[in-house]
Amino acid sequence: MSIRWVVLAFVAAVAVGASLTPTATVRAQPGSEAETHYRLALRHKRAGRTAEALREAREAVRLRPQHAPAHLTIGSLERQSGNLEAALVAFQRVVELAPDHGNGHAMVGAVLARLQRCGEAIAPLRRATELDSEDVSSWGNLGACLRREGRVEESIAAYRAGLIHNPAH
């Protein structure tokens, strides 16, 4: 590497550093700003700051409506807060955006089960177990919903399948 390239690299680094002062406005590339808000949402969520996490996740979705992980975070926060209908909407959006997202299907089914809508919960729970056969919660929710629907043999089969895939549980 010649000295000229080293000098150019140094000048570029100084120029970039100078333009990133606290008062400077920084324009992010489309999508990256959404990702920044999403990562802030995750930090707030881990710290137990639910309102802040929800605000940041919603901002990520506003900036990039197809951001499935942000929708999943919104659903998780809404579920945690007891807002099951809002959680359901967010989880359903995850499934629309990412049809092979096992956790999205699992969460749709879990919320429907909690809302006492077991008939509707069976299909997403079955899909969740197809996508992730080791998901103990989905097998349990599926077995419980089938039992509540009076489908006892299917319920037993679901519980057994859950045990086969997860012998420790």
Side-chain angles (χ1 to χ4, degrees):
M1 181 181 280
S2 73
I3 190 72
R4 183 173 142 205
W5 284 107
V6 171
V7 170
L8 282 173
F10 176 77
V11 170
V14 170
V16 169
S19 71
L20 295 179
T21 60
T23 58
T25 301
V26 178
R27 296 279 180 223
Q29 293 178 354
S32 65
E33 191 174 353
E35 192 63 26
T36 299
H37 285 284
Y38 170 64
R39 294 197 185 285
L40 284 170
L42 294 180
R43 275 196 206 139
H44 287 306
K45 184 179 176 190
R46 279 190 292 272
R49 295 185 298 265
T50 304
E52 292 88 348
L54 198 51
R55 184 185 69 244
E56 293 295 344
R58 284 185 177 140
E59 182 62 11
V61 165
R62 186 188 71 74
L63 292 167
R64 192 168 56 183
Q66 72 280 12
H67 198 301
H71 285 283
L72 187 69
T73 299
I74 290 169
S76 174
L77 292 164
E78 292 288 14
R79 181 178 181 220
Q80 180 182 341
S81 298
N83 301 323
L84 298 180
E85 292 293 341
L88 180 59
V89 169
F91 292 139
Q92 287 171 328
R93 185 71 176 130
V94 172
V95 170
E96 289 171 20
L97 294 169
D100 291 333
H101 196 290
N103 198 29
H105 289 281
M107 292 294 93
V108 168
V111 170
L112 286 168
R114 195 143 167 228
L115 289 168
Q116 303 299 315
R117 293 164 56 183
C118 279
E120 296 172 62
I122 292 169
L125 290 169
R126 281 197 195 279
R127 183 67 179 135
T129 61
E130 291 168 5
L131 293 167
D132 181 4
S133 63
E134 295 182 12
D135 180 2
V136 177
S137 295
S138 290
W139 285 113
N141 285 331
L142 178 58
C145 280
L146 288 165
R147 182 177 39 92
R148 286 187 205 129
E149 292 291 303
R151 297 160 65 175
V152 177
E153 293 302 317
E154 289 177 84
S155 173
I156 292 169
Y159 287 129
R160 282 190 178 140
L163 286 170
I164 288 168
H165 293 289
N166 303 284
H169 290 83

